């Protein structure tokens, strides 16, 4: 399936890229990286996400590429605005939120134009006309890395930074879901210019003080099941008000 997807990337000229609501490091890094790769092929690419890029990821190169679906943007799009849609890191199409109206509503993609679904989650329902769901991949960033290899496009520091961020955030700082291939990819990304200490500092060590206060309140609600296998905590609206934070924090 990856070869069919690469063929579609080469064939079509205009693309809409989107991902799930409340984007994380993998969805953001992967979307921008794929957009940069397509732009190298002289393609026109628009990235639209339901929610804006969280503050901790705005250090990433070209984070301003990601737009939000304002009424004007939705109204300004027509069925011919995009020849293909690429949905990254989503188990189902509903998770893209309002952006779904550009894919399956009005305006929407012209009949016969593909929805390309690239994901690594076990519960993906294969909603695309072209689906590449690699359950062994650590992240979609890892899958975009392979696309770059097949396209024969050389990685630079920007791409390496984006893909490294996607992998580090979806593996919990390399704590789980790591294969020998993932380690090799990470080594390649570092050799191409990704700076681990800078990325780690921005993603994990640059939270605002208010966010730590919010986390402290949330920890006070921590509970576990009798068998000690499941823990949970909750964040309430009153906690946001008390700490003057938001969902982004």
């Amino acid at each position: 399936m990856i070869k069919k997807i690469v063929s579609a990337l080469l064939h079509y000229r205009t693309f809409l890229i989107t991902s799930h609501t409340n984007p994380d490091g993998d969805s953001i890094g992967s979307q921008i990286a794929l957009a940069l790769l397509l732009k190298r092929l002289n393609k026109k690419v628009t990235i639209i996400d339901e929610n804006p890029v969280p503050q901790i990821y705005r250090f990433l190169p070209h984070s301003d590429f990601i737009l939000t679906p304002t009424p004007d943007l939705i109204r300004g799009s027509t069925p011919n605005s995009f020849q293909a849609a690429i949905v990254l890191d989503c188990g189902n199409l509903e998770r893209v939120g309002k952006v779904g109206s550009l894919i399956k509503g009005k305006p929407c993609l012209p009949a016969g134009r593909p929805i390309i679904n690239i994901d690594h989650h076990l519960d993906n329902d294969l909603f695309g006309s072209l689906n590449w769901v690699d359950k062994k991949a650590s992240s979609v960033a890892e899958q975009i890395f392979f696309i770059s290899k097949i396209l024969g496009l050389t990685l630079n520091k920007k791409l390496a930074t984006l893909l490294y961020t996607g992998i580090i955030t979806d593996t919990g700082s390399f704590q789980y879901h790591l294969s020998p291939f993932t380690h090799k990819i990470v080594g390649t990304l570092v050799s191409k210019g990704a700076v681990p200490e800078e990325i780690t500092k921005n993603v994990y060590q640059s939270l605002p003080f208010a966010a730590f206060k919010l986390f402290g309140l949330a920890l006070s609600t921590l509970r576990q099941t009798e068998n000690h296998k499941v823990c949970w905590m909750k964040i309430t609206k009153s906690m946001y008000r008390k700490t003057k934070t938001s969902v982004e924090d």
Side-chain angles (χ1 to χ4, degrees):
M1 183 54 68
I2 184 174
K3 291 183 178 180
K4 291 184 179 180
I5 287 175
V6 169
S7 293
L9 298 181
L10 293 171
H11 176 71
Y12 293 101
R13 293 180 291 102
T14 57
F15 295 87
L16 166 66
I17 297 179
T18 189
S19 187
H20 56 76
T21 57
N22 299 315
D24 55 19
D26 187 27
S27 62
I28 293 167
S30 298
Q31 288 179 97
I32 301 172
L34 182 56
L36 291 177
L37 291 171
L38 289 172
K39 285 176 180 289
R40 280 207 203 166
L41 298 173
N42 297 316
K43 310 295 183 176
K44 183 178 179 181
V45 186
T46 304
I47 308 175
I48 308 176
D49 283 351
E50 169 83 2
N51 304 108
V53 176
Q55 183 65 44
I56 61 171
Y57 297 117
R58 291 178 192 167
F59 77 95
L60 288 171
H62 301 298
S63 62
D64 58 334
F65 277 6
I66 297 181
L67 308 175
T68 52
T70 61
D72 288 343
L73 183 60
I74 297 294
R75 284 195 298 268
S77 299
T78 69
N80 291 313
S81 295
F82 313 106
Q83 294 182 330
I86 306 172
V87 183
L88 303 180
D89 204 33
C90 278
N92 57 71
L93 197 54
E94 285 66 36
R95 288 200 67 202
V96 304
K98 296 176 185 176
V99 186
S101 66
L102 295 174
I103 298 174
K104 62 178 181 178
K106 291 183 179 181
C108 61
L109 289 172
R113 302 295 171 86
I115 298 173
I116 301 171
N117 168 26
I118 302 175
D119 190 23
H120 66 115
H121 293 103
L122 296 173
D123 61 349
N124 190 286
D125 65 10
L126 305 179
F127 58 84
S129 47
L130 293 172
N131 301 283
W132 178 30
V133 180
D134 186 352
K135 299 171 184 178
K136 294 182 180 180
S138 69
S139 55
V140 174
E142 186 172 313
Q143 294 173 269
I144 302 303
F145 175 87
F146 283 111
I147 287 177
S148 73
K149 298 288 284 184
I150 294 173
L151 289 171
L153 298 175
T154 304
L155 297 178
N156 54 25
K157 182 175 181 177
K158 289 181 179 180
L159 285 164
T161 299
L162 292 161
L163 298 179
Y164 186 100
T165 300
I167 293 174
I168 192 176
T169 53
D170 246 30
T171 59
S173 297
F174 307 121
Q175 295 180 76
Y176 46 81
H177 205 107
L178 285 168
S179 68
F181 294 108
T182 303
H183 281 289
K184 289 180 180 179
I185 291 170
V186 168
T188 299
L189 296 177
V190 173
S191 73
K192 295 296 182 179
V195 183
E197 54 268 33
E198 289 183 3
I199 296 171
T200 299
K201 180 180 179 180
N202 278 287
V203 174
Y204 296 111
Q205 299 172 3
S206 300
L207 291 174
F209 181 69
F212 287 101
K213 293 176 67 176
L214 176 65
F215 187 50
L217 292 177
L219 279 175
S220 69
T221 71
L222 185 64
R223 301 290 184 273
Q224 65 177 341
T225 56
E226 291 184 3
N227 62 10
H228 309 300
K229 291 186 176 181
V230 179
C231 292
W232 72 92
M233 61 183 178
K234 63 181 179 181
I235 300 176
T236 64
K237 292 181 179 179
S238 64
M239 291 179 188
Y240 286 128
R241 289 194 295 269
K242 187 173 182 179
T243 57
K244 297 180 181 180
T245 54
S246 66
V247 175
E248 180 177 312
D249 297 301

